């Protein structure tokens, strides 16, 4: 791939910021409720507010930790694929208005956009995952692939016009090259 192709997208995609913002707002509301309600004897109101704010905080932190785990799996998978053939891998490309493309892989016969997921079972690939990789495929005019590097069972299946590949970086490279 040429350097011009590698620098086509520049904006960094950070979907986790929303989780931090909501958790932060909820924490501020919780502290404000403590000062204005709990300290003034309105404990029932504070308990309701506290439970609601805590619920929002927990949900957003769970989502944030799931994203962090997914990012770690993604980085490891990309690193493993780059160790095999760095020249054929273009990583973390921003898809304007739709997130990012984890990997664009230039094989001998075709170019693939690969979305890496940390799930372990191909049956858990959702319609949202499929829509995401299909949108990237339409934008780049590439073949869509969802790669599950942590899958327990090594296999290749087709779901909704998308190839779902379960296996290691070496197996992915061999399969598509």
């Amino acid at each position: 791939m040429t350097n011009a192709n590698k620098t086509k997208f520049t904006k960094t995609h950070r979907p986790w910021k929303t989780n931090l913002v909501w958790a932060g707002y909820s924490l501020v509301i919780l502290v404000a409720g403590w000062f204005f309600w709990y300290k003034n004897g309105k404990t029932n109101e504070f308990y309701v507010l506290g439970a609601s704010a805590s619920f929002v905080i927990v949900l957003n932190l769970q989502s944030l930790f799931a994203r962090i785990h997914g990012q770690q799996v993604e980085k490891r998978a990309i690193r493993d694929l780059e160790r095999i053939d760095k020249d054929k891998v273009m990583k973390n490309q921003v898809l304007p208005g739709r997130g990012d493309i984890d990997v664009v892989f230039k094989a001998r016969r075709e170019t693939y956009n690969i979305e890496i997921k940390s799930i372990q079972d191909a049956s858990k690939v959702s319609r949202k995952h499929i829509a995401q990789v299909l949108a990237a495929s339409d934008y780049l005019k590439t073949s869509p692939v969802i790669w599950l590097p942590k899958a327990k069972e090594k296999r290749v299946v087709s779901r909704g016009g998308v190839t779902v590949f379960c296996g290691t970086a070496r197996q992915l490279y061999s399969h598509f090259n």
Side-chain angles (χ1 to χ4, degrees):
M1 287 184 209
T2 66
N3 283 338
N5 288 340
K6 287 187 178 184
T7 59
K8 186 174 183 179
F9 308 103
T10 56
K11 185 179 175 192
T12 304
H13 179 61
R14 292 187 179 102
W16 48 265
K17 276 187 173 180
T18 304
N19 297 115
L20 286 178
V21 168
W22 277 106
Y25 283 155
S26 298
L27 186 59
V28 168
I29 290 169
L30 186 61
V31 170
W34 183 77
F35 276 110
F36 294 111
W37 283 344
Y38 188 76
K39 286 184 120 187
N40 292 323
K42 296 183 179 185
T43 54
N44 287 341
E45 291 88 344
F46 174 72
Y47 292 146
V48 170
L49 175 74
S52 301
S54 298
F55 180 72
V56 171
I57 290 169
V58 167
L59 282 181
N60 279 285
L61 290 178
Q62 282 179 331
S63 180
L64 177 66
F65 292 136
R67 287 182 193 273
I68 289 170
H69 172 70
Q71 287 173 342
Q72 290 170 341
V73 168
E74 180 183 319
K75 284 179 185 176
R76 221 173 292 127
I78 291 171
R79 183 192 65 221
D80 292 346
L81 192 57
E82 285 181 323
R83 283 183 179 162
I84 298 168
D85 194 345
K86 187 175 180 123
D87 293 335
K88 294 185 177 187
V89 176
M90 189 169 56
K91 62 184 179 179
N92 297 324
Q93 303 302 303
V94 174
L95 183 62
R98 298 208 179 190
D100 73 334
I101 303 161
D102 295 336
V103 176
V104 177
F105 179 69
K106 179 80 172 137
R108 278 190 212 137
R109 300 173 297 276
E110 225 173 317
T111 302
Y112 300 92
N113 65 296
I114 301 173
E115 183 62 33
I116 301 168
K117 297 295 177 190
S118 60
I119 55 180
Q120 297 181 352
D121 186 358
S123 66
K124 303 267 188 210
V125 172
S126 70
R127 289 183 181 138
K128 187 176 177 181
H129 297 144
I130 292 170
Q132 179 185 11
V133 76
L134 284 173
S137 176
D138 289 343
Y139 183 78
L140 292 175
K141 307 299 181 225
T142 56
S143 298
V145 176
I146 295 176
W147 178 20
L148 311 178
K150 292 288 189 184
K152 294 179 181 179
E153 186 180 343
K154 308 303 180 204
R155 64 185 178 145
V156 180
V157 295
S158 181
R159 294 206 43 214
V162 174
T163 302
V164 179
F165 185 87
C166 306
T168 65
R170 189 158 301 283
Q171 291 167 335
L172 177 97
Y173 184 85
S174 297
H175 181 79
F176 291 108
N177 218 5

